[in-house]
Amino acid sequence: MKKIVLLLLTITASMYICSCAHIDDEETDTGVTSVTVEDSDYYTRFKNDGLSINVYNWGEYIPDGSEEGTLNLNDEFTRLTGIRVNYTTYATNEELYAKLKGGGATYDVVIPSDYMISRMIKEDMLEPLDFTQIPNYKNIMDKFQVTEYDPDTMYSVPYTWGTVGIIYDTTAVDETEIDWDILWNEKYADSVLMFDNPRDAFAIAENMLGFSLNTENTDELRKAAEKLKEQKKIVQAYVMDEIFDKMGAGEAVLAPYYAGDAITLMDDFEHIGFVIPKSGTNLFIDAMCIPRGCRNKEAAEMYINFMCEADSAKAVSDFIGYSTPNQKAYEMLEDEVKNDGISYPDDDFIAEKTTIFRNLSDEANLTMQTLWTEMKSSEEQTPNRVIVPAFMTVCIIASLVILIRRYIKKKKDIF
């Protein structure tokens, strides 16, 4: 009997082990992916090494599978390569810079904007890329391969690009011509949102004043700050990604923001419109970089290469609405998208009316940041923000007067 029981236990244990092995194989199968890649063998080098990489990106800036019919690109990369992706987000270039400069965390891939890339190159914060490990770089359009912020094309691979314009509520804004000055119109007091980062906010004021968006002139920066201070009295809030909730819910009617996010909002809400001001605007490029001190440079370059696959780049563009610098992905887009005037503005407009941010000198950056802090901490308030507290104060005083009178009357009645 003991032998029979032992035999049965052995068979049961063997079946359990086989079952677990089968389940584990299914869970870690890296041969199945919804992204078609050019060279599948390229992605097998670290398949069984148990590697992970830390990726730091903008919020809502990659397909995450949260919407029906969309991919989770990080999961697709893991299934293809066996490399796990630890993914976190930031709201501004300045937040990214502070995190990297502070040294509190180690990242393998970051995706800053043009001027911040230039600054990080200057401060030796980025690793030179080995482009032999990024063969899909050939898919990047020629006009994005040589850039002012990375003139030697050593440290970055373009991820997305776009322009800045004005998102507006079509049911509340009836102007036929919308330009930057509408963000100063007192008609929309307490219904205007503004960028919560100095570089984008100053650029709007500089454009209105006829200054270069890359000015380092102290007097011009002070005048731009004064212009922003004038606007503060009608600004409801300084925001970044909060714009989605506020504009979608009708809590605000005007906001400057990025074209890609405007497209997302317009897809979700019928009352949202978007315009790129004819007077000119910023053209930005966000690009993938590897910070100094990364733990897994080759795995990071593999991730960058994966994002340069035509399917991956198109999935990013489709999901976030931003323009793709990937030629093969662009060719896969619908004509309606290519010709919408928002995602891919006219080449003449881009050449004549857009400016790419350059990295400013340390002195100019410090001046801008100081002026920004002073402006935001100034006492200017919207009319509603003054009226409401004043009304509440009057009500409180009136209530106190009534209570005192009742108390005095009650005392008289007693005596």
Side-chain angles (χ1 to χ4, degrees):
M1 285 295 295
K2 287 182 179 179
K3 290 181 179 180
I4 293 172
V5 170
L6 183 60
L7 178 62
L8 289 172
L9 287 173
T10 302
I11 293 171
T12 303
S14 299
M15 290 174 65
Y16 177 77
I17 291 170
C18 290
S19 174
C20 289
H22 177 67
I23 292 171
D24 186 61
D25 283 344
E26 286 184 342
E27 290 178 345
T28 59
D29 180 12
T30 59
V32 179
T33 176
S34 297
V35 173
T36 301
V37 299
E38 277 199 41
D39 181 5
S40 58
D41 289 341
Y42 163 89
Y43 293 104
T44 62
R45 281 180 293 161
F46 307 115
K47 186 175 178 180
N48 300 312
D49 292 354
L51 295 182
S52 65
I53 57 173
N54 298 327
V55 177
Y56 200 29
N57 197 0
W58 297 84
E60 300 185 31
Y61 218 45
I62 193 173
D64 59 4
S66 60
E67 295 183 10
E68 187 176 352
T70 63
L71 300 173
N72 184 319
L73 273 187
N74 285 328
D75 285 354
E76 294 297 317
F77 176 75
T78 298
R79 280 197 287 270
L80 184 67
T81 66
I83 301 169
R84 187 163 56 87
V85 179
N86 303 314
Y87 189 84
T88 52
T89 64
Y90 53 89
T92 69
N93 282 293
E94 288 67 28
E95 180 184 340
L96 161 68
Y97 174 81
K99 193 74 171 285
L100 293 178
K101 200 70 173 176
T106 302
Y107 296 102
D108 299 289
V109 178
V110 295
I111 307 180
S113 301
D114 34 49
Y115 72 95
M116 189 55 69
I117 293 171
S118 178
R119 181 177 185 179
M120 290 195 290
I121 291 173
K122 179 182 177 182
E123 297 180 19
D124 196 29
M125 294 173 65
L126 299 178
E127 293 278 357
L129 300 176
D130 181 355
F131 284 91
T132 64
Q133 300 297 321
I134 311 174
N136 284 330
Y137 183 73
K138 66 181 183 294
N139 293 340
I140 301 299
M141 297 176 182
D142 291 343
K143 61 184 176 183
F144 292 110
Q145 288 198 11
V146 179
T147 60
E148 191 171 350
Y149 60 84
D150 185 5
D152 297 323
T153 315
M154 290 179 60
Y155 300 94
S156 63
V157 174
Y159 179 73
T160 58
W161 67 277
T163 55
V164 176
I166 299 171
I167 299 173
Y168 64 97
D169 185 330
T170 59
T171 66
V173 178
D174 55 9
E175 275 75 3
T176 54
E177 290 287 337
I178 297 178
D179 214 309
W180 296 118
D181 58 354
I182 198 172
L183 301 176
W184 273 253
N185 191 332
E186 294 188 8
K187 172 181 175 181
Y188 302 106
D190 210 29
S191 295
V192 175
L193 303 177
M194 190 58 174
F195 278 118
D196 194 20
N197 78 73
R199 193 65 195 268
D200 282 322
F202 267 75
I204 294 172
E206 289 161 356
N207 195 303
M208 292 178 65
L209 294 168
F211 303 153
S212 166
L213 274 57
N214 292 305
T215 184
E216 297 194 6
N217 183 291
T218 301
D219 288 339
E220 291 183 349
L221 290 173
R222 290 188 182 281
K223 289 177 181 177
E226 284 299 318
K227 191 70 177 174
L228 292 171
K229 189 175 180 181
E230 291 174 15
Q231 183 202 27
K232 187 176 181 182
K233 63 185 178 183
I234 70 165
V235 172
Q236 179 192 114
Y238 294 89
V239 299
M240 292 303 294
D241 283 345
E242 303 93 327
I243 192 174
F244 290 98
D245 292 333
K246 285 183 171 290
M247 290 297 297
E251 294 177 17
V253 301
L254 286 163
Y257 219 58
Y258 313 112
D261 295 300
I263 290 172
T264 300
L265 273 167
M266 287 190 291
D267 286 343
D268 293 340
F269 302 100
E270 292 183 357
H271 70 282
I272 296 296
F274 181 75
V275 63
I276 302 174
K278 292 182 179 179
S279 60
T281 189
N282 163 234
L283 185 148
F284 61 86
I285 302 171
D286 294 334
M288 297 174 282
C289 306
I290 298 178
R292 286 281 186 192
C294 77
R295 299 176 306 164
N296 299 302
K297 186 170 183 287
E298 285 189 41
E301 288 167 340
M302 184 174 287
Y303 183 84
I304 292 173
N305 189 74
F306 176 75
M307 289 300 167
C308 290
E309 297 282 356
D311 280 0
S312 299
K314 183 178 183 297
V316 169
S317 184
D318 287 344
F319 183 75
I320 69 175
Y322 280 53
S323 308
T324 180
N326 189 300
Q327 182 63 40
K328 287 191 175 181
Y330 175 78
E331 292 169 0
M332 296 165 65
L333 297 175
E334 299 289 337
D335 288 340
E336 181 182 356
V337 175
K338 296 178 185 177
N339 301 320
D340 66 4
I342 297 175
S343 301
Y344 301 92
D346 180 81
D347 286 342
D348 290 337
F349 177 84
I350 290 176
E352 298 170 10
K353 294 293 185 177
T354 65
T355 302
I356 295 177
F357 287 159
R358 293 199 310 267
N359 178 46
L360 305 180
S361 66
D362 292 341
E363 294 78 12
N365 275 318
L366 179 59
T367 298
M368 180 182 289
Q369 185 61 55
T370 301
L371 292 169
W372 173 252
T373 303
E374 290 175 353
M375 183 280 296
K376 288 191 69 179
S377 61
S378 65
E379 296 298 322
E380 294 288 343
Q381 292 181 308
T382 69
N384 286 349
R385 291 180 186 176
V386 174
I387 292 170
V388 171
F391 176 73
M392 293 297 293
T393 302
V394 170
C395 290
I396 292 170
I397 293 172
S399 298
L400 288 173
V401 169
I402 292 170
L403 289 172
I404 291 170
R405 284 181 176 176
R406 286 179 179 174
Y407 176 77
I408 293 172
K409 185 177 184 298
K410 187 175 181 181
K411 294 285 285 185
K412 285 181 179 179
D413 290 341
I414 292 174
F415 294 103

